[in-house]
Amino acid sequence: MALAGAMVIGPRIGKFKKDGTPVAIPGHDIPMAILGTIILFFGWFAFNAGSTLNGTDLRLAVVATNTMIAGAVGGLVAMLYMWIKYGKPDPSMMCNGALAGLVAITAPRAFVNGISAFIIGAVAGILVCVSVAFVENKLKVDDPVGAFSVHGVNGLWGILSVGIFADGTYGAGLNGVQGAVTGILYGSTGQLWAQLIDIAVIIIYGFGLSYLFYKALDAIMGIRVKPEDEIAGLDLPEMGVLAYPDFQLTPVVYSDGVLEKNMKSPEVIDDTGISKGVK
């Protein structure tokens, strides 16, 4: 749904140069993003281990442990990947890596052991970094927080991992199916086929229906705000109050990829994002 919405609504103003090269639009408060990630991480224990509301099932201890392992390893591997590839650890991608690990372990959480949880989280940490770059550089889709890479790509990886890493120690009789949930590494191919069918349904039905919905909504009433509101920020136009009153807002006009401040002596910023001085 995030990918479909981002494709239909289009990139933010100034996100891509004329030649299609993406321009980084950094977040305004990385420490707050890290705090949000920690809160999400903490909530994931209730989300995974407590989501069945079955406190008498001691498997919840395995679920909680696997959740911690995959999330922690996902963040670590994403940080190391960015550090090795670009020379600096990227805090925002570290957060995305942790969330990717948590997303990936959500489907197989009760059916895999700790070693498998480690592997699932490690793969997720790499996948999210590769996917963010691919979506931006190759697909030319503006996904501001990497939602599709975290939840879409690694959600699918998590679903697939059930059919690979499930060790057959849990899930007997689940959904009316005889025998425990067992992946291909432990001698069963049936679960892998089930997971592949699940993935196909999500891609065809989930993405397809979402894309059609967004296209219809865009044609009927429009889903993009006015350019001047996008530049000023949506706090005032949408909510009536400023979220960041310490930021001075100035009217701006975008024309043919060039940003001009609407003042007596407009400052021109070319499509590389570099100021060319006062015109």
Side-chain angles (χ1 to χ4, degrees):
M1 292 183 69
L3 179 63
M7 291 172 65
V8 174
I9 200 170
R12 290 166 290 175
I13 294 173
K15 175 60 185 177
F16 294 101
K17 302 179 188 178
K18 293 180 181 179
D19 63 1
T21 304
V23 177
I25 303 178
H28 73 278
D29 196 334
I30 294 299
M32 187 64 73
I34 293 175
L35 177 61
T37 302
I38 294 171
I39 294 171
L40 277 169
F41 204 133
F42 181 75
W44 226 282
F45 290 107
F47 178 69
N48 272 0
S51 59
T52 60
L53 299 179
N54 189 3
T56 60
D57 187 346
L58 296 183
R59 192 69 176 185
L60 66 85
V62 174
V63 172
T65 302
N66 286 341
T67 299
M68 170 61 82
I69 291 172
V73 171
L76 175 64
V77 169
M79 182 191 72
L80 293 176
Y81 177 91
M82 298 299 290
W83 207 336
I84 293 169
K85 188 172 179 63
Y86 299 105
K88 297 287 184 182
D90 185 332
S92 62
M93 287 307 300
M94 178 183 66
C95 290
N96 271 351
L99 296 178
L102 293 168
V103 169
I105 198 62
T106 296
R109 62 193 184 272
F111 310 108
V112 301
N113 56 41
I115 296 175
S116 295
F118 185 101
I119 296 171
I120 292 168
V123 172
I126 296 174
L127 272 179
V128 70
C129 296
V130 174
S131 177
V132 165
F134 178 80
V135 169
E136 192 171 85
N137 296 318
K138 300 299 182 181
L139 300 184
K140 304 300 180 184
V141 173
D142 182 13
D143 185 4
V145 295
F148 169 69
S149 298
V150 171
H151 295 276
V153 171
N154 283 286
L156 296 179
W157 161 235
I159 292 171
L160 181 63
S161 66
V162 176
I164 299 174
F165 296 102
D167 59 10
T169 60
Y170 186 72
L174 192 65
N175 294 333
V177 178
Q178 289 186 346
V181 179
T182 306
I184 193 170
L185 293 182
Y186 294 86
S188 174
T189 59
Q191 191 65 44
L192 180 61
W193 281 111
Q195 302 306 113
L196 289 172
I197 294 171
D198 190 6
I199 289 172
V201 170
I202 289 172
I203 293 174
I204 297 171
Y205 176 78
F207 172 81
L209 189 64
S210 298
Y211 186 84
L212 292 175
F213 170 77
Y214 286 127
K215 289 293 287 186
L217 193 63
D218 190 35
I220 294 170
M221 57 181 294
I223 59 175
R224 183 149 189 158
V225 298
K226 295 182 291 185
E228 54 268 31
D229 290 341
E230 180 178 342
I231 300 303
L234 297 184
D235 307 322
L236 200 57
E238 293 288 325
M239 305 303 298
V241 294
L242 291 174
Y244 309 101
D246 50 324
F247 288 1
Q248 183 179 0
L249 304 178
T250 56
V252 291
V253 175
Y254 275 84
S255 176
D256 194 27
V258 177
L259 166 63
E260 295 184 1
K261 289 186 177 178
N262 237 1
M263 297 183 293
K264 292 183 179 179
S265 299
E267 178 187 9
V268 178
I269 300 176
D270 65 18
D271 60 1
T272 65
I274 305 301
S275 174
K276 297 165 66 177
V278 176
K279 184 168 78 171

